[in-house]
Amino acid sequence: MPPSPQVEVAAQHDGVRGQAARDGREKVLPPEKVDTTKVPNLRWPNFSDYQSIVATFYDDRNYEVAWTRDGAPTDSAKSFIQAFQGAASKGLIPEDYDAPRWADRVQALNSKSEDAISLFDVAMTVNVMRYISDLRIGRVNPSHFNFEIPVQDKKYDLAEFVSDNAVDATDVPKLIAGVEPNSEEYRQTEAALAHYMDLAKQQAQSNEDPLPTVAKAVSVGGTYPAASALVMRLRLEGDLPAPGDPVPPLPMTFDSTLSDAVKHYQHRHGLTEDGKLTAQTIKSLNVPMDLRVAQLQDSLERWRWLPEPYLHARLMVNLPEFVLRGFDPDHKLDFTMRVVVGKVMGQHETPVFTHMMKYLVFRPYWSVPVDIARKELVPHIESNRGYLASKNFEVTNNKGVIQTDYTAHQVAQGAVMVREKPGPKNSLGLVKFIFPNQYDIYLHSTPAISLFEQTRRDFSHGCIRVQKPADLAAWVLQGQGDWDLDKVNEAMNSGPDNKTVSLKTPLPIVIFYLTAIVEDDNEVHFFDDIYNYDTEMQKVFSKGPPYPVKPEPIVPKTKEGETV
């Protein structure tokens, strides 16, 4: 009678074990020790998101142990244990990688028992994979938050990567640095995190009460009962020079030194920079440092999502900051400008996504969506036949031919289309910048330039209005023929209507969401979580692994034509 499949597998396994012994290699693990979705001694024993990868890892190495030699941890295992214990410095949670449990596991290896070795080995494999993956592509797939970022483009074959690079690594810190984003912004954020973790400890130890609010803004020469506490709070982050520099103000007095420090603080926190101690400024000052730490952790997570070319994108809009940045080909900052983004109310939030800018349109039309035409224009048409013409609109059929004989009913039903004619009063302004996407989101100019003077600039229906459209157009078109600022202004003000200019080289653009960012001067800036994306992320992290890692469908909230 031929042997059963189970006997054949056992015989093969025994043969591998015997061969390993003859070759002088280490122990071979029983397959059942790794062929499971649960390992009892893990802090988060459900590693179903890594189970098949772990199985492949051990199958490829014929179940040879990876992380011990002669019953003791390898040097690479020891280095990874140190990395797990310092995971907080990377914006990660040490307990996600069993940081408090490794001392007992190492101690248990002294028994030389197969169970202790197996448990140590599998736990190390799972946690190394988690740690490397989390640093490489983040803990949560961005699609879970409805963010369209192609994180899968940078995903490792973990079984192969860990086997080839991690198991016998001689320099684990160097390996880890190579896994992380090769980005100066990322490294600056990581350094800022370490600083703010220290500030959080200082603040917890001082046990200071929150600053009392004010009913009316305090200006220079006014008084503030908690001026001494305010001095200490402003010194904490360096907005007020430490003792030994300019003399601090007298208690109760809000003088020019304090006002300058408050203005500096306001500058770093997206507040109106008037140097006055307002209720809004005090509310921001009372945000605990541990929440600032969380903001930096969230920023690191989002930086990890970005693959090339978006990690070093030429254009980046940071939504909660209301700012657009342009970078040269070497990713050095070329300019910043203010933007207006989608308003919080009414599901008009500007989506987070990456794309390639492909063309510009000078003097564009704005095609009014039927819903908007029905709600906002039809009542006026019914009472005033000349209303559309008086407001710079015209009507066309579905072939774009202008119609002069139409009814309000036809407009309401979409049988004819309404469009706003090009010109300085057009809702899209005089130029729009197109990166084709499913959200119908683009950058454009606007006649409503007064909005750029506001500190908080979430006023649009989703699209992004830019403060200096001519400068941006000239920058985007540089090196492309004879385009310069003069020619751009000519195209915007007196050129042909609806003129499309394609880019010879598409530009990567990221519509991003960072509530903590480090500027070129290494100052850390914080912004309000306007869309509550940080809150959503922290809720996910609070539940522990396994985190949502599988791609999820992106559901656009915006509607075509309604995103101006």
Side-chain angles (χ1 to χ4, degrees), residues 55-271:
T56 299
F57 170 84
Y58 281 106
D59 184 64
D60 288 349
R61 58 189 294 112
N62 293 322
Y63 292 90
E64 179 188 349
V65 298
W67 306 101
T68 61
R69 296 291 181 269
D70 298 321
T74 62
D75 288 343
S76 58
K78 293 176 184 176
S79 293
F80 273 111
I81 290 171
Q82 288 182 332
F84 300 154
Q85 292 169 341
S89 67
K90 302 287 186 184
L92 304 174
I93 303 170
E95 288 75 13
D96 284 359
Y97 317 99
D98 286 5
R101 300 185 173 214
W102 290 106
D104 289 344
R105 288 182 185 141
V106 172
Q107 183 68 28
L109 290 176
N110 292 334
S111 69
K112 307 293 184 182
S113 75
E114 186 174 88
D115 278 349
I117 292 173
S118 298
L119 289 173
F120 180 92
D121 213 78
V122 177
M124 180 62 68
T125 298
V126 171
N127 281 290
V128 167
M129 287 183 174
R130 275 180 178 162
Y131 187 72
I132 288 175
S133 179
D134 291 351
L135 286 177
R136 181 66 180 173
I137 61 173
R139 288 165 282 180
V140 184
N141 193 301
S143 63
H144 180 73
F145 304 107
N146 219 37
F147 295 175
E148 187 184 0
I149 300 175
V151 68
Q152 299 300 111
D153 291 357
K154 60 187 292 190
K155 189 176 182 180
Y156 284 144
D157 178 335
L158 273 178
E160 180 180 321
F161 183 87
V162 171
S163 183
D164 292 351
N165 298 280
V167 169
D168 296 314
T170 56
D171 190 341
V172 169
K174 183 178 179 180
L175 173 68
I176 291 170
V179 165
E180 295 177 284
N182 184 18
S183 156
E184 191 60 29
E185 291 100 329
Y186 178 85
R187 288 185 284 269
Q188 289 174 329
T189 306
E190 190 175 5
L193 173 64
H195 178 57
Y196 272 82
M197 288 171 65
D198 183 58
L199 294 185
K201 291 178 182 177
Q202 293 180 38
Q203 190 176 63
Q205 291 168 354
S206 67
N207 199 28
E208 296 284 345
D209 292 329
L211 296 170
T213 191
V214 292
K216 183 180 179 181
V218 181
S219 303
V220 173
T223 60
Y224 180 60
S228 296
L230 176 62
V231 166
M232 298 303 294
R233 176 62 186 84
L234 291 169
R235 281 180 180 158
L236 181 66
E237 290 183 81
D239 295 291
L240 182 67
D245 290 312
V247 178
L250 296 173
M252 306 287 289
T253 303
F254 189 80
D255 70 358
S256 60
T257 302
L258 259 182
S259 178
D260 289 344
V262 165
K263 187 173 183 178
H264 188 268
Y265 178 91
Q266 291 167 334
H267 172 69
R268 291 193 307 106
H269 291 79
L271 302 171

Side-chain angles (χ1 to χ4, degrees), residues 265-274 280-281 284 455 528:
Y265 178 91
Q266 291 167 334
H267 172 69
R268 291 193 307 106
H269 291 79
L271 302 171
T272 302
E273 298 176 35
D274 56 12
Q280 185 184 25
T281 301
S284 178
T455 300
D528 288 344

Side-chain angles (χ1 to χ4, degrees), residues 27 45 154 221 240 250-251 286 325 379 386 416 441-442 463 466 531 545:
K27 289 183 179 292
K154 60 187 292 190
L240 182 67
L250 296 173
N286 282 333
R325 288 178 173 81
V416 293
I441 296 295
Y442 43 88
C463 273
V466 296
Y531 295 161

